[in-house]
Every structure is written in C-alpha cells, then in structure tokens.
Amino acid sequence: MMKRNKIIYWTVTIFLSIGMLAGGVQQMLQIGGYNDIVKQLGYPQYLLSILGVWKILGVIAILIPKSPLLKEWAYAGFFFAMSGAAISHFVISKSLTDALPSLILLIVIFLSWYFRPVERKLNSPIKL
C-alpha cells in the first residue's frame, strides 16, 4: 500500500511540476498564448510575471526535501491559482474546454497533496 501511494505521489507530482514549471516560465517571460488569455480574461499583463515566478518557486518548494509548511503554502498557492483560472474562464462564459487545463491541474494538485509521504506533511497543527 505504501509503495503504491509513493508511486502515485511521484507520478502526479512530476506531472504537476512539469505543468507548473512550463506554465510558470512561459508566464514569467510572457511568451506563448498566455498574453491573449490574460487579455481576454481582463487581467493586467504584469500579472503573468508575478504568477510565473510564484509557480516556479512553488515547484521548487514541493520538490525539495523537508520544509512541510512551505509545501503546504505551495499547494495552497497552486490551488488558488488554478481554481482562479478555471473560475475566470467560466465567469466570462468560456467553454469547459478552455478551463480544462486548469481543472486537470486542480485534480493533480489534490492528488499530489493527498498522496504525499509522511515526511512531507505537517506533523502538528500550527500554534499561533
């Protein structure tokens, strides 16, 4: 069971990392089709650079050993970015096909988070 979970974790995490890294680099450099998408959604162009940098940093946070709190923040950031992207497409009446990449990445984010090994989880609740 543990071996199966580890295989699932690494498979979806590598897929997530490649997707976020590729998108992050394209957004940071404002290349590819992202400029048109952001314009259609009504967001400022500079948002691409911000999202791109955060996605790249999120990938690093998820892949490095230790730092479970940082990983939780990265997963949360990915969730907010992809759910926001999907919702943005739906709000301006784009098709399901347009939102599909974001929705797929949302599923992959959840699977990576859910199947992460114990050493990559927060062991205790945060006390403020």
Side-chain angles (χ1 to χ4, degrees):
M1 183 81 145
M2 296 258 300
K3 186 175 181 176
R4 176 191 69 114
N5 288 356
K6 199 170 200 172
I7 291 170
I8 294 170
Y9 168 76
W10 281 110
T11 301
V12 296
T13 301
I14 289 169
F15 181 82
L16 173 64
S17 297
I18 291 169
M20 288 296 183
L21 186 60
V25 168
Q26 288 177 341
Q27 289 172 330
M28 183 181 69
L29 300 175
Q30 296 188 16
I31 58 176
Y34 285 103
N35 291 346
D36 293 336
I37 294 169
V38 166
K39 188 176 181 180
Q40 290 173 5
L41 294 174
Y43 294 117
Q45 214 63 36
Y46 67 82
L47 185 63
L48 282 175
S49 298
I50 295 168
L51 284 172
V53 169
W54 282 114
K55 284 181 180 181
I56 293 167
L57 292 173
V59 169
I60 293 168
I62 285 175
L63 293 178
I64 62 171
K66 312 271 182 191
S67 304
L69 181 60
L70 187 59
K71 290 179 192 329
E72 292 293 319
W73 279 82
Y75 280 117
F78 286 164
F79 174 82
F80 295 137
M82 292 301 99
S83 61
I87 291 167
S88 294
H89 281 89
F90 293 135
V91 165
I92 65 164
S93 302
K94 289 286 195 174
S95 69
L96 178 63
T97 306
D98 291 323
L100 200 56
S102 302
L103 297 172
I104 290 170
L105 280 170
L106 272 173
I107 293 167
V108 172
I109 291 163
F110 175 77
L111 291 172
S112 177
W113 175 84
Y114 183 81
F115 285 104
R116 70 200 188 287
V118 172
E119 66 271 9
R120 292 177 172 263
K121 294 181 181 180
L122 281 174
N123 294 328
S124 61
I126 301 169
K127 295 179 182 172
L128 299 177

